[in-house]
Amino acid sequence: ALPWKLTSGDVVISDSHVLLHLKGFLVPGKGVGPVKTVDASLYCDGSTKPAATTGASKLSSAGDATIDAAVTVPKSCIAPLVLVHPNGQSHSYVAASGWMR
């Protein structure tokens, strides 16, 4: 696993939309490494099956990406989790929603 660093990131989920921004998503000393695109999946209620998945967005050489996707979000989504997948590989992820102090 590579030691990814993220300068900032945010995700907004509405009833029909996912908007995700990544800024400075890089491997120190290697840039973006092998990751050229990212997509995102929304998980609800602790499920292991995504409730919605976006299309891919290009990761810039600075490690920036924006995903602005229309999706169908379930009427109820307890404990939403968004995972960011590299190069269309939905079985792995390189970032997750959450917060740190």
Side-chain angles (χ1 to χ4, degrees), residues 45-69:
D45 310 327
S47 176
T48 58
K49 181 180 177 193
T53 299
T54 71
S57 180
K58 186 176 178 183
L59 189 63
S60 76
S61 61
D64 301 341
T66 296
I67 295 173
D68 188 358

Side-chain angles (χ1 to χ4, degrees), residues 42-51 78-79 81:
L42 169 66
Y43 293 82
C44 298
D45 310 327
S47 176
T48 58
K49 181 180 177 193
I78 309 273
L81 171 68

Side-chain angles (χ1 to χ4, degrees), residues 15-57:
D15 59 354
S16 63
H17 208 84
V18 171
L19 178 61
L20 179 133
H21 297 282
L22 300 176
K23 184 166 178 69
F25 188 58
L26 302 167
V27 177
K30 296 188 187 249
V32 295
V35 176
K36 304 303 179 208
T37 65
V38 292
D39 60 80
S41 293
L42 169 66
Y43 293 82
C44 298
D45 310 327
S47 176
T48 58
K49 181 180 177 193
T53 299
T54 71
S57 180

